[in-house]
Amino acid sequence: MQKAGQPQVLKWYNSSLIQQLILENGPVSKPDLVQLTKLSLPTVNKIVDELVEEGYAKESSVQNATGAGRKAKTYIVDGKFGTIITAYYLEGKWLGAATNILGEILYRIERSAEESREINQVQILYDLLDDLIGETDRVKAIGIGIPGIIMKNGDITGIPVMKEFEGVNLEKLLKCRYQLPVFVENDVKLMTVGCYKNKIHNWENMIFLYISSGIGAGIMINGQLYKGNTSFAGEFAYMPVADGKGNLEARLTDLRKKMHGEHAEKAKMLFAEEISNAIIHCTTIINPEAIILYGNDFDSGLMEVIKERVKEYIPEYSYPEIILTGDDSYGVSGLISMCLDGIHKKCWLLDAVENR
């Protein structure tokens, strides 16, 4: 095993850094990379040439002027270098995709997670991943989005909709089966990342509230996903309600049913009150620029009630943008982003450190 500080580790660190910069800034020239990394030109030349030879990078048709009419070659990532396989669970079904390392989706599969209760849910996931891998090559990583708490050691807990996964370390299972880097994260946290990466606004602090068949949230602080000490941050389902009778998930689930019954209007107002209280609590603790709501039970009238109630408690200078979204693609986008970050920032460097 290589020890930290040895030349091989430094070389791989520099290579990983340049890979990330080409991905984020391409088309980018070698002189540009020298400025961004503060590495010497010979070092940058050598690394970029090696990346081109390996197939990770390629010359772009765009050239940068360098003075006196000369134009420097620029480089971009070659999407054909590798593939990422993703599977995201959303309301009773698996959304599977194969993407290139630029995040462009090449192939999709949708599979019911409830198509047969005689089949173990883990096996359904295996079958989906096998089908996706069979449609592509050069797989670099696997990413999974799942409705549960992912502990620091990788164990899954708090996942009643898929009890077969309770206590399972899915990352270890999939690494053993496929011999690939594997990234597993909570579904709502991934939706949060996907929404943040969409860059509609330049928010640095944001909360994503998912209110549907389950309740959950994701928190972005200073542009980073905040998970907390035991990955429990954002588990608003456990919050007690004002009268002390049960938790927020039980209360909202009950009100959602009543919103389509005889006392629908009263239930809607109570629903709005509970959501407003959650937003007020979030704002006083995190002070985000925006709070994004996702769910099928909101309409323009309900959103206005929520916003007006929040304004009663939060001063104008700290009032967050409260936005409703129905975009269910955020989860897959966040999952792809997590995998890309993982393989660019960790995997190649880890290979060098462990001399694999």
Side-chain angles (χ1 to χ4, degrees):
M1 177 175 174
Q2 299 286 342
K3 294 182 180 179
Q6 290 190 352
Q8 181 69 5
V9 176
L10 184 59
K11 175 185 175 182
W12 278 88
Y13 175 82
N14 290 339
S15 179
S16 181
L17 175 61
I18 289 177
Q19 290 165 16
Q20 187 72 17
L21 289 172
I22 294 174
L23 176 69
E24 294 175 350
N25 298 281
V28 60
S29 68
K30 291 175 179 177
D32 291 336
L33 291 169
V34 169
Q35 291 295 318
L36 290 168
T37 63
K38 307 305 179 185
L39 296 171
S40 69
L41 182 57
T43 297
V44 169
N45 281 337
K46 181 175 174 57
I47 292 173
V48 172
D49 290 346
E50 288 175 350
L51 292 176
V52 171
E53 186 176 347
E54 292 167 7
Y56 175 81
K58 65 180 181 179
E59 288 186 21
S60 168
S61 58
V62 176
Q63 293 184 318
N64 289 347
T66 59
R70 294 184 59 192
K71 291 186 177 180
K73 294 178 180 178
T74 61
Y75 298 86
I76 57 175
V77 170
D78 190 340
K80 297 178 182 179
F81 178 71
T83 307
I84 297 167
I85 299 299
T86 63
Y88 183 84
Y89 179 88
L90 181 66
E91 298 181 355
K93 59 188 177 184
W94 285 104
L95 306 177
T99 75
N100 63 22
I101 60 170
L102 296 173
E104 299 166 342
I105 295 178
L106 307 173
Y107 185 75
R108 297 176 188 265
I109 296 179
E110 186 175 304
R111 191 74 47 82
S112 172
E114 302 174 347
E115 58 186 14
S116 174
R117 282 299 174 185
E118 297 177 0
I119 302 177
N120 184 281
Q121 295 298 304
V122 178
Q123 187 59 52
I124 291 177
L125 178 58
Y126 283 163
D127 292 344
L128 174 69
L129 295 175
D130 290 345
D131 289 346
L132 286 167
I133 290 172
E135 291 291 333
T136 186
D137 57 6
R138 295 186 178 184
V139 177
K140 298 295 182 182
I142 294 173
I144 307 294
I146 197 164
I149 300 170
I150 316 300
M151 305 295 284
K152 286 183 178 178
N153 65 358
D155 291 349
I156 299 171
T157 188
I159 185 168
V161 296
M162 304 179 80
K163 294 180 180 179
E164 294 96 329
F165 287 92
E166 186 70 38
V168 171
N169 191 310
L170 191 57
E171 180 181 333
K172 285 184 179 178
L173 275 182
L174 297 179
K175 278 184 177 178
C176 182
R177 180 180 175 92
Y178 296 104
Q179 298 297 301
L180 289 166
V182 176
F183 305 92
V184 181
E185 187 53 271
N186 170 265
D187 56 346
V188 179
K189 287 181 172 60
L190 290 170
M191 291 185 83
T192 306
V193 172
C195 182
Y196 176 79
K197 294 284 188 180
N198 198 38
K199 293 292 185 186
I200 299 175
H201 300 278
N202 292 320
W203 300 318
E204 288 299 309
N205 304 282
M206 183 194 87
I207 296 175
F208 188 98
L209 286 175
Y210 176 93
I211 301 163
S212 187
S213 55
I215 310 297
I219 303 168
M220 301 293 295
I221 298 179
N222 295 329
Q224 299 295 320
L225 179 68
Y226 180 74
K227 298 176 65 173
N229 180 46
T230 61
S231 301
F232 195 71
E235 294 296 328
F236 290 132
Y238 294 84
M239 290 175 62
V241 291
D243 60 11
K245 297 178 181 179
N247 58 38
L248 185 59
E249 181 165 37
R251 173 63 61 86
L252 292 181
T253 299
D254 180 57
L255 289 173
R256 288 179 69 236
K257 293 176 182 177
K258 291 179 179 178
M259 283 165 63
H260 304 284
E262 183 179 353
H263 303 289
E265 195 59 31
K266 180 181 179 181
K268 285 181 71 172
M269 292 304 101
L270 290 172
F271 181 82
E273 182 178 348
E274 294 292 355
I275 301 300
S276 301
N277 289 342
I279 291 174
I280 292 165
H281 293 153
C282 290
T283 304
T284 59
I285 296 169
I286 307 298
N287 189 204
E289 291 106 300
I291 293 180
I292 314 299
L293 296 177
Y294 176 95
N296 297 322
D297 297 291
F298 298 95
D299 56 33
S300 58
L302 201 59
M303 290 297 295
E304 285 304 312
V305 172
I306 291 170
K307 291 178 181 179
E308 289 303 314
R309 178 173 172 79
V310 172
K311 285 179 180 177
E312 293 177 15
Y313 291 87
I314 302 299
E316 184 178 353
Y317 62 84
S318 295
Y319 184 82
E321 290 190 62
I322 301 174
I323 299 171
L324 178 65
T325 182
D327 193 338
D328 61 8
S329 70
Y330 284 147
V332 175
S333 297
L335 185 54
I336 293 170
S337 177
M338 179 185 70
C339 290
L340 288 172
D341 286 346
I343 63 173
H344 285 292
K345 292 180 180 177
K346 297 176 184 177
C347 296
W348 284 298
L349 181 58
L350 190 61
D351 284 342
V353 172
E354 298 185 355
N355 196 26
R356 293 184 296 184

